[in-house]
Amino acid sequence: MMGSVVRWLSRNDVALTNLPLASALNVIEATLRDHGNNEYENPPKIGIHPRHDAYIHAMAGWLPKQRRAGLKWLAGYTSNSKVDLPNNTGLLVLNDPDTGLPLCVMDAAYLTAIRTAAVSAITSKYLSPLHVDRIAVIGAGLQGLYHVKMLSLIHPAAEFQIVDINDNAVRRLAEQTYSEATIVHVREAEAAIRAADVVVTATSRLEEVAFRFAWVKEGSLVLPVHVRGWSQDITTASDVLLADDVEQFKSYIIATGSPYRNISRVLGSVSDVIAGRVAGRFRNADRIVVFNVGLAIHDVAIGSAILDIAEQHGFGTIVSY
């Protein structure tokens, strides 16, 4: 234990690393390949629920090929926005896989946004229709922002139709992405979804149905960032139904009270498509739905990339363990 230290990376420290988004895409694609080749350990997330509208989840992941191990402790409190606090907060702990000693503790808000949007973007790379002219993003918060940033790297010519009940949020998103993407403010979700080749619903947790799968046109890819909010037939009328991890998806949706009656049609994972075990898009007209619930191995991989940059530049605070 003599000489053991831990690097603490605050939210500002994490931001200072300025992980290039293109690099994050490469990290996530490599991690999806590891998942597809069964080179990972990612037990289903467990959680506690201190309030009826809140959760705190523990997410552990191990990537033997990358020699990265860690755990994310993430809280989601939808009511926080009412008292000017972030809805999602968390920490990532990275451990030395040879000794188990902690190497780093970092704020997990930024990396969660990055990895979620990056998984959606890589999913889009493999499962979008041949031509993507319009992308609908419902929700102009942090997830909406990074989905625009990431998806614009995969589909640089696409127009992004943004829907949010807060006009100022859409304006801020447009200002933050003005040099990266073409942004159009659309008032109604239905209009944006009907016109879109890729649909991202990046709202906070919804208890009621806000989106109808009948609005989705032929050939479109649908990416719900949160499980709830869609009509029942998203799981029965879709031509192809996938998840980021089938067992975790089933475990999660049962544990949280499934809003959908039939999840038996899940064909496989995005990683299965990348590995060639599942065809993914069988026909150009297929309407494909992918539930990316969130895997700890993606957090560990992105967090490790952030740590590498922090170590190179001396960011953060070193504390004794």
Side-chain angles (χ1 to χ4, degrees), residues 28-207:
I28 289 299
E29 188 164 10
T31 305
L32 285 165
R33 290 189 185 280
D34 287 347
H35 183 271
N37 293 325
N38 206 33
E39 296 175 324
Y40 73 99
E41 189 173 356
N42 194 113
K45 62 182 74 174
I46 59 173
I48 57 175
H49 303 85
R51 295 172 45 152
H52 75 281
D53 60 346
Y55 64 82
I56 308 178
H57 284 163
M59 303 169 62
W62 161 232
L63 291 161
K65 186 176 177 181
Q66 300 182 34
R67 303 293 298 162
R68 300 293 195 178
L71 176 135
K72 186 172 76 169
W73 185 234
L74 180 73
Y77 279 66
T78 57
S79 60
N80 274 6
S81 58
K82 298 176 183 177
V83 291
D84 200 28
L85 291 173
N87 288 350
N88 295 294
T89 56
L91 296 173
L92 177 73
V93 180
L94 295 174
N95 297 77
D96 184 328
D98 295 316
T99 66
L101 291 173
L103 298 172
C104 179
V105 179
M106 71 176 72
D107 176 79
Y110 174 76
L111 73 89
T112 299
I114 289 292
R115 66 90 155 128
T116 304
V119 172
S120 291
I122 297 301
T123 299
S124 179
K125 175 181 175 179
Y126 284 91
L127 291 167
S128 286
L130 186 60
H131 300 290
V132 175
D133 297 317
R134 293 185 183 87
I135 298 174
V137 177
I138 317 301
L142 189 64
Q143 282 294 346
L145 171 65
Y146 279 100
H147 272 79
V148 171
K149 286 176 172 288
M150 288 293 190
L151 285 166
S152 67
L153 296 177
I154 303 296
H155 307 291
E159 174 186 279
F160 287 82
Q161 299 198 341
I162 312 299
V163 181
D164 197 288
I165 58 175
N166 186 336
D167 290 352
N168 289 331
V170 178
R171 192 175 300 112
R172 284 194 300 271
L173 185 150
E175 291 171 352
Q176 291 173 291
T177 58
Y178 76 96
S179 64
E180 303 162 74
T182 300
I183 303 296
V184 176
H185 186 185
V186 177
R187 297 288 176 180
E188 300 295 332
E190 179 177 355
I193 291 171
R194 286 189 181 278
D197 304 298
V198 177
V199 178
V200 177
T201 48
T203 62
S204 57
R205 178 186 170 104
L206 297 173
E207 296 299 335

Side-chain angles (χ1 to χ4, degrees), residues 297-318:
I297 53 174
H298 299 149
D299 297 303
V300 169
I302 292 293
S304 297
I306 289 171
L307 174 59
D308 288 343
I309 296 172
E311 289 178 335
Q312 291 168 14
H313 295 279
F315 296 144
T317 303
I318 304 300

